[in-house]
Amino acid sequence: MDRVALRGLKARGHHGVFAHEREEGQTFIVDLVIGLDTRAAAADDDLAKTVHYGIVAEEVVAVVEGEPVDLIETLAERIAQQCLKHDGVQEVEVVVHKPNAPITVPFDDVTITITRSHA
């Protein structure tokens, strides 16, 4: 399986369990690795035979900016399911970064990583 990766997609969302997270919002960063077979697209040099990563990026940002959820686990699942809607996408790895998580000690980042595929 081939891989198309998008790293560092940034969007402002209102996700979290605390009221101030829902009200103020914060920046979330998403990394994706999309698994698909790109041989037909490469052979024919045809965008229609692969995943259009520009469209995927816009859809991911829309999910992050969309309906708030409590958990980044839920957000990651929603992103994965959106990616799997594209023809040819067999698998997706989603990493959601929450660098401004409400933690009381110094830290660099909080992430959730999930991998989903068609059953």
Side-chain angles (χ1 to χ4, degrees), residues 41-53:
D44 295 340
D45 198 27
D46 186 351
L47 177 61
K49 295 182 179 179
T50 189
V51 66
H52 190 308
Y53 52 79

Side-chain angles (χ1 to χ4, degrees), residues 42-109:
D44 295 340
D45 198 27
D46 186 351
L47 177 61
K49 295 182 179 179
T50 189
V51 66
H52 190 308
Y53 52 79
I55 291 174
V56 171
E58 291 171 357
E59 292 172 349
V60 168
V61 166
V63 171
V64 174
E65 292 176 343
E67 181 185 350
V69 296
D70 288 343
L71 305 177
I72 60 173
E73 291 86 344
T74 306
L75 182 59
E77 184 67 33
R78 288 184 177 180
I79 292 167
Q81 294 307 315
Q82 180 62 44
C83 292
L84 288 170
K85 290 179 182 178
H86 289 269
D87 290 338
V89 173
Q90 299 170 26
E91 181 179 273
V92 63
E93 178 185 272
V94 177
V95 181
V96 175
H97 301 257
K98 189 175 180 180
N100 299 306
I103 296 176
T104 60
V105 297
F107 74 101
D108 289 330
D109 200 4

